[in-house]
Amino acid sequence: MTISYDAVTGTVRATAEETAEALALLTADGPLPAGLPAGDEALDAMRTALRSPLLSVILTNSGPGGHHEHHVTCGLNAVTVRRSVAREDLSEIVPAPFLTLPGMLTRLLRFQPCEAPLEGAATIAVDAEQITALESDDAAARTAAWSQLHAQLGADEKASWQLVRMQTAWTSTDGSPAEDFAVYLRVEESCWVLLHDDEAFELVPVPSITAWEAIMHTLPGANEVKDPRS
């Protein structure tokens, strides 16, 4: 597959390997990737954002039907650059205004309402390895992890499920690296948020808004991020 470019939306499409190479070239000084036009406004905005990053986001969306991964860089020029990998032969790079980031992330994780948990619903102790396997890009690993976990959740093995993980990284105002992450699991109409400390991991039943807030709260406030110009 050769690189294709949509000048209306600023979208670059190619294989996963080709978009990774294109993103590296867009970030570096030098010529544009082959097939992309010089002097294009959207491409210029993406290059500026990639060279002056304020924060980065990795969002994974996994389930029995597949695994999707999205990498987002938010630049000083209030432009985001998203690289999404659907499969090896299909990936894309897309620019967007920074203000649309929460909506973009909500759409990418395919957020759907959940039923509120019953009062006193129990938390579920899990192993970190179970959660890691559920978000694997290997279908066999996801299937094996779910075959172990579904009974703990009181769910049928054939139930639909979705695991979303979002990790955000930035440079704090004191110059030190900072990061945050959140995970939620949706099974049919029920949602759990992953809570953890140094010793234990637990899935806590929550209503929809709590699951969504857990993901969005990984994004830092404007007063938490160091300006790369300073």
Side-chain angles (χ1 to χ4, degrees), residues 58-142:
I58 300 174
L59 176 70
T60 60
N61 185 359
S62 305
H67 170 86
H68 301 283
E69 191 167 307
H70 311 276
H71 295 251
V72 183
T73 298
C74 304
L76 185 62
N77 60 343
V79 170
T80 65
V81 181
R82 168 175 61 85
R83 176 175 178 256
S84 295
V85 180
R87 53 183 190 267
E88 284 300 312
D89 64 341
L90 180 60
S91 181
E92 65 180 15
I93 302 171
V94 186
F98 178 77
L99 290 177
T100 65
L101 181 61
M104 176 211 300
L105 295 171
T106 301
R107 177 178 60 82
L108 291 173
L109 60 83
R110 299 177 182 178
F111 188 81
Q112 299 179 38
C114 301
E115 294 180 351
L118 297 175
E119 185 176 353
T123 61
I124 308 296
V126 294
D127 296 327
E129 291 77 11
Q130 287 178 295
I131 301 301
T132 300
L134 282 179
E135 64 175 352
S136 171
D137 59 2
D138 180 76
R142 295 195 306 274

Side-chain angles (χ1 to χ4, degrees), residues 36-225:
L36 299 184
D40 182 88
E41 185 176 344
L43 290 172
D44 289 344
M46 284 198 284
R47 296 196 89 171
T48 300
L50 291 167
R51 295 174 183 184
S52 59
L54 291 175
L55 63 97
S56 63
V57 176
I58 300 174
L59 176 70
T60 60
N61 185 359
S62 305
H67 170 86
H68 301 283
E69 191 167 307
H70 311 276
H71 295 251
V72 183
T73 298
C74 304
L76 185 62
N77 60 343
V79 170
T80 65
V81 181
R82 168 175 61 85
R83 176 175 178 256
S84 295
V85 180
R87 53 183 190 267
E88 284 300 312
D89 64 341
L90 180 60
S91 181
E92 65 180 15
I93 302 171
V94 186
F98 178 77
L99 290 177
T100 65
L101 181 61
M104 176 211 300
L105 295 171
T106 301
R107 177 178 60 82
L108 291 173
L109 60 83
R110 299 177 182 178
F111 188 81
Q112 299 179 38
C114 301
E115 294 180 351
L118 297 175
E119 185 176 353
T123 61
I124 308 296
V126 294
D127 296 327
E129 291 77 11
Q130 287 178 295
I131 301 301
T132 300
L134 282 179
E135 64 175 352
S136 171
D137 59 2
D138 180 76
R142 295 195 306 274
T143 299
W146 176 247
S147 67
Q148 296 177 358
L149 184 60
H150 75 89
Q152 292 176 254
L153 299 172
D156 188 274
E157 188 168 8
K158 296 182 179 180
S160 66
W161 61 270
Q162 173 197 37
L163 187 85
V164 170
R165 184 181 193 274
M166 191 161 102
Q167 180 174 347
T168 306
W170 67 96
T171 300
S172 62
T173 52
D174 64 4
S176 61
E179 64 178 9
D180 196 5
F181 81 95
V183 174
Y184 83 76
L185 173 66
R186 185 178 189 276
V187 180
E188 298 291 358
E189 303 302 322
S190 300
C191 283
W192 285 265
V193 165
L194 181 70
L195 296 185
H196 66 93
D197 55 29
D198 293 337
E199 298 180 355
F201 288 77
E202 292 182 331
L203 289 172
V204 180
V206 296
S208 303
I209 187 62
T210 303
W212 183 83
E213 287 177 342
I215 293 294
M216 295 303 158
H217 282 175
T218 67
L219 296 173
N223 62 343
E224 298 178 69
V225 180

